[in-house]
Amino acid sequence: GAVARYWPLRPRACAAAPLDEALSEANAQYRHRMHNICCDNCHSHVAVALELAGYKGYKRWNMVMLAMWMFVAGPYVDV
C-alpha cells in the first residue's frame, strides 16, 4: 500500500555499522527469504538493518519496537 507514515533515521545514531552498510547486509540476508504477512515481512527486514547498525545503541530490534517508534516519532506523509 501507499506510505502513510515514515520515521526519519539519523545516520549518526548508528553505533555498530554505517546505515548504508547495515542496509546492504540486511538486503543480502532478505534477498533469498520469502516474505509473509505475519512473521517475516518488510518490518522484520528493517528491524534486521537497525540491529546490524546498532541504531540508537539497541542490539535487538523487532516489529513491535519498530511499530512503537513509528507511532511515537513517525510523522504522517503530506498528501
Side-chain angles (χ1 to χ4, degrees):
V3 174
R5 293 179 89 163
Y6 63 97
W7 180 27
L9 299 177
R10 295 186 341 249
R12 292 185 181 168
C14 298
L19 192 55
D20 288 342
E21 288 179 23
L23 288 170
S24 292
E25 176 62 28
N27 289 343
Q29 288 183 27
Y30 270 79
R31 184 168 289 126
H32 303 290
R33 283 183 167 176
M34 177 66 75
H35 282 62
N36 67 55
I37 194 84
C38 296
C39 302
D40 201 8
N41 55 36
C42 57
H43 299 97
S44 302
H45 188 154
V46 171
V48 167
L50 294 175
E51 281 182 3
L52 292 168
Y55 194 72
K56 292 189 172 262
Y58 296 120
K59 294 181 185 197
R60 295 291 300 157
W61 283 89
N62 58 45
M63 291 189 301
V64 174
M65 285 184 67
L66 192 57
M68 180 204 61
W69 278 102
M70 284 296 295
F71 182 74
V72 171
Y76 285 96
V77 175
D78 279 338
V79 185

